[in-house]
Amino acid sequence: MDAIIIGKVIDNYRITEVLGKGGMGVVYKAKDTTLDRDVALKMMDARLASDENFLKRFQSEAKALAKLQNPNIVSIFALRESEFGFCIVMEYVEGNTLADKISEMGALPLSRTLAIFKQLLIALDHAHKAGIIHRDIKPSNVMLTKDDVVKVTDFGLAKIQQTSAVTMTMGTGGTLFYMSPEQVRGLANVDQRGDIYSLGMTLYETLTGKTPFTESDTDFSIRQAIVEGKIPPPDRLRPDLPKDLVKVVMKAIDKDPAKRFQTAAEMWTALEKVQIPLPVVDKGTTIDRGGSRSFDPQTKSRRMVYLAIAGVTAVVLFFALRLWMSSPSTTLSISSEPNGSKVFFNGDSVGMTPLTNITVRPGNLSLRLDREGYYTKDTALVLTKGENVSIGVPLRKIQTAPPETAENFPPASSTKSGKAKGSQPKEQSKQTGMATLSLRAMPTGFVTVDGTMRSGNTNQVTTVEVASGERTILFEHPVYGSKILQLTLTPGETKTITCYFESYVSIQSLPVWGTIMIDGKNTDVSTPKDRYPLGVGKHRVTVTRAGYETVEGDKEITIMPAFKENVYQLVFNLRKK
């Protein structure tokens, strides 16, 4: 059937190729002929269409995904029924699965692993708060873009938790290596802690390059090991793993759900505290960022192999250097105040500040500075070819930095009655020395007060009571970085603070009906557009129209996290060619 359907048009989707096959059907790549974009079509096997149970599971996936709007979860666009059966129209993700990366590289570097799994936890936190349990978390259901942005897919086994006393179950489901003990036993009350277990086992494999089971193990022996046996800690396979990271893995895969992390946000907090040691090269030892291997430098044959490799490497580096010198390079110099901060590019450690004239690849760069006793700094840079960038980053000491007045920070609102929702009356707060904070991240994000996470990845208002005095608030978006605010609260005071990781752009053109282009991509939106959302970063905006050219060309706009909602005005003049 695969060959027959290629080239066919379902609704307004033209099938172009097969992306993959699963237990429920086939995933195709297709072109949306109306919006001129690539999509993924997950089509249920026609032989299963008459099976009512399979049909319910298939429709359940569509309903589950439709509830989820998160940058780390594959978006669903539509559910269609055609002559070939039911299909879900989904976001097309260009990239590979985590399973592909593990198969290709073995164990992944620690910094990259943590960056991936923090995004995974953000996705699960969002799903769990929507009442949706994935039930099949595994490396092959985790997509990675070329920039390592995580996209969780395949909610085909999701169980939508009901608020009533009746809960529908759909069998054991899942994939054996990653199934929790309660799933293996076929229990009906599998909750979000089952996903935590599966994610812990996925983390185990990502850190070591393998699961704790072998190909020779039978299904029975694997089930027995999951339910009754003892899983060896991952540092048995990779001794260089930090002890606190091993503890995170073993807590996540504890046989008793009550002893695991109870929420994705709780596990995220534990991963955030993991300290990755800088590589240390001892005499006679090579450091492999994917794992740990040692060799005897006195062994002559091995030494000859390494010398041969070194010779080939020198030749490759020579020609690479000539190529590099013949084209304009992008360099980055970084200092911090104080220096001695660990620097991470896109999750990978590159050294400690100060760093001078590091050659980097043009494009988007995620920058992270981490120093013990200071708040971590995360930011995003957009680097162009041939650019020489030098930045200095001030670090703020935890709980000792002076108060900061954020740029463009609007006056805090106070409750006129003196009583905030869920808080003590104002006079009582004055007596107890407490103050009230109402905090929100837009369009979504985590909120941390004095190092304690107070909300998961959400755009809902979080109201908390805190002791008066100097407080440090961290707003953190899963993609756009973070923003810190330090303020001093008086007893009984109430403040409402919103941190915006998006701004709006009002785009006009003369004449109208021009197509808006953002960062070289067609948005399929025409002018005039009053409020077009743009996330943190540097963006190029222009307008195109057939038979016309833009007088101004591209306009650059830089969006930064802010404590007020900003709307930027852009006007383009179009003239006939």
Side-chain angles (χ1 to χ4, degrees):
M1 177 179 172
D2 293 348
I4 297 175
I5 201 173
I6 300 297
K8 297 289 185 181
V9 177
I10 298 176
D11 198 2
N12 54 299
Y13 306 104
R14 179 179 290 108
I15 309 295
T16 58
E17 62 180 283
V18 176
L19 294 176
K21 298 182 180 182
M24 290 175 60
V26 183
V27 181
Y28 297 92
K29 183 180 179 181
K31 175 70 74 174
D32 185 332
T33 57
T34 301
L35 299 178
D36 190 27
R37 66 177 176 184
D38 291 325
V39 297
L41 265 66
K42 183 167 187 177
M43 187 161 296
M44 187 173 68
D45 192 325
R47 294 170 297 178
L48 302 175
S50 59
D51 188 319
E52 187 175 346
N53 289 330
F54 272 98
L55 186 59
K56 285 181 179 178
R57 288 175 61 193
F58 194 77
Q59 291 173 322
S60 171
E61 177 175 4
K63 291 178 181 178
L65 280 172
K67 288 186 175 184
L68 304 178
Q69 297 294 323
N70 184 275
N72 296 124
I73 297 176
V74 171
S75 299
I76 180 170
F77 300 141
L79 177 63
R80 295 286 186 265
E81 184 176 9
S82 71
E83 59 180 305
F84 302 104
F86 280 96
C87 67
I88 299 176
V89 185
M90 301 182 295
E91 172 188 6
Y92 170 69
V93 180
E94 188 170 357
N96 301 105
T97 66
L98 179 58
D100 294 331
K101 291 295 182 184
I102 296 173
S103 176
E104 173 190 348
M105 301 175 59
L108 269 60
L110 295 182
S111 56
R112 186 181 185 187
T113 298
L114 292 185
I116 289 170
F117 276 80
K118 286 178 184 179
Q119 294 179 72
L120 270 169
L121 286 162
I122 288 168
L124 285 184
D125 179 70
H126 178 77
H128 293 167
K129 286 180 177 177
I132 298 171
I133 312 301
H134 190 290
R135 302 186 80 199
D136 197 19
I137 293 292
K138 57 185 178 183
S140 59
N141 280 338
V142 178
M143 294 293 298
L144 297 174
T145 71
K146 62 181 181 179
D147 297 320
D148 262 2
V149 175
V150 167
K151 295 281 187 178
V152 181
T153 188
D154 200 356
F155 278 77
L157 297 177
K159 180 182 75 174
I160 303 177
Q161 293 181 317
Q162 308 295 325
T163 54
S164 63
V166 179
T167 301
M168 294 184 62
T169 61
M170 294 173 287
T172 303
T175 302
L176 188 55
F177 284 175
Y178 312 95
M179 285 170 59
S180 65
E182 54 268 34
Q183 278 182 290
V184 172
R185 291 196 297 264
L187 300 181
N189 61 338
V190 176
D191 57 19
Q192 74 272 6
R193 294 172 297 182
D195 279 353
I196 297 293
Y197 181 96
S198 300
L199 188 68
M201 196 59 75
T202 300
L203 177 57
Y204 189 113
E205 183 177 2
T206 307
L207 291 170
T208 64
K210 59 183 71 175
T211 68
F213 312 109
T214 65
E215 293 183 358
S216 61
D217 290 333
T218 64
D219 282 1
F220 176 79
S221 64
I222 294 174
R223 290 174 184 271
Q224 192 174 37
I226 292 172
V227 176
E228 301 174 1
K230 188 174 181 179
I231 304 295
D235 54 352
R236 294 269 186 92
L237 302 176
R238 184 176 172 181
D240 68 320
L241 292 178
K243 296 301 181 184
D244 49 353
L245 181 54
V246 173
K247 290 179 181 178
V248 170
V249 175
M250 297 309 292
K251 182 172 182 177
I253 62 173
D254 197 290
K255 295 186 183 344
D256 184 355
K259 294 181 180 179
R260 294 176 206 151
F261 297 104
Q262 299 301 290
T263 65
E266 184 184 347
M267 186 172 175
W268 187 95
T269 301
L271 279 183
E272 182 71 5
K273 295 177 181 178
V274 171
Q275 296 293 320
I276 301 178
L278 290 173
V280 177
V281 181
D282 296 325
K283 186 177 180 181
T285 303
T286 56
I287 300 299
D288 181 352
R289 297 190 70 182
S292 178
R293 298 181 178 91
S294 60
F295 67 92
D296 181 3
Q298 303 304 317
T299 302
K300 182 176 180 181
S301 60
R302 290 187 178 181
R303 185 167 57 224
M304 294 297 292
V305 170
Y306 287 114
L307 288 173
I309 293 173
V312 174
T313 303
V315 174
V316 173
L317 287 176
F318 172 75
F319 285 103
L321 181 60
R322 289 191 62 181
L323 179 63
W324 175 77
M325 293 178 67
S326 64
S327 60
S329 60
T330 300
T331 61
L332 182 61
S333 298
I334 305 170
S335 63
S336 64
E337 179 55 44
N339 277 319
S341 172
K342 298 177 185 176
V343 180
F344 299 88
F345 288 172
N346 297 328
D348 289 327
S349 176
V350 295
M352 302 183 74
T353 56
L355 298 174
T356 305
N357 293 332
I358 300 176
T359 302
V360 294
R361 181 181 299 176
N364 295 326
L365 177 69
S366 173
L367 174 64
R368 180 185 183 95
L369 275 74
D370 195 0
R371 192 179 196 275
E372 186 175 356
Y374 292 79
Y375 287 102
T376 298
K377 284 278 190 170
D378 287 285
T379 189
L381 302 176
V382 181
L383 303 172
T384 57
K385 190 174 182 179
E387 190 175 20
N388 297 314
V389 179
S390 180
I391 62 173
V393 182
L395 301 179
R396 295 197 176 276
K397 203 165 186 178
I398 294 177
Q399 295 181 345
T400 62
E404 171 185 301
T405 302
E407 181 183 358
N408 298 325
F409 185 66
S413 62
S414 300
T415 53
K416 293 182 179 180
S417 64
K419 182 177 180 180
K421 183 179 179 181
S423 66
Q424 303 177 32
K426 190 170 183 178
E427 291 303 319
Q428 184 178 347
S429 295
K430 283 184 177 181
Q431 295 174 6
T432 59
M434 302 297 287
T436 302
L437 291 172
S438 292
L439 308 172
R440 187 180 190 185
M442 293 294 291
T444 186
F446 295 87
V447 177
T448 300
V449 180
D450 294 333
T452 301
M453 184 177 290
R454 297 304 184 106
S455 79
N457 187 26
T458 178
N459 61 2
Q460 302 299 310
V461 175
T462 299
T463 302
V464 296
E465 284 194 347
V466 296
S468 57
E470 188 176 278
R471 302 274 73 86
T472 300
I473 307 167
L474 172 67
F475 298 87
E476 188 165 16
H477 188 277
V479 175
Y480 298 139
S482 61
K483 181 111 177 139
I484 294 176
L485 174 69
Q486 291 184 288
L487 72 167
T488 302
L489 300 171
T490 59
E493 185 177 7
T494 296
K495 284 197 173 181
T496 299
I497 306 167
T498 300
C499 184
Y500 295 90
F501 290 95
E502 273 187 353
S503 293
Y504 290 95
V505 182
S506 173
I507 306 172
Q508 314 291 328
S509 72
L510 299 172
V512 297
W513 308 122
T515 301
I516 297 172
M517 306 288 292
I518 305 289
D519 298 327
K521 296 181 180 179
N522 189 337
T523 65
D524 295 310
V525 176
S526 299
T527 58
K529 178 65 177 177
D530 288 335
R531 290 167 66 87
Y532 190 93
L534 285 178
V536 168
K538 187 184 294 184
H539 302 279
R540 291 182 295 108
V541 183
T542 192
V543 174
T544 63
R545 181 176 170 176
Y548 289 80
E549 61 183 2
T550 308
V551 175
E552 295 83 3
D554 289 358
K555 292 186 177 182
E556 279 197 354
I557 184 170
T558 301
I559 308 297
M560 300 294 290
F563 292 108
K564 71 173 184 177
E565 186 178 76
N566 291 314
V567 180
Y568 298 87
Q569 306 289 333
L570 295 180
V571 179
F572 293 88
N573 293 285
L574 305 178
R575 64 188 174 198
K576 288 189 176 181
K577 294 181 179 179

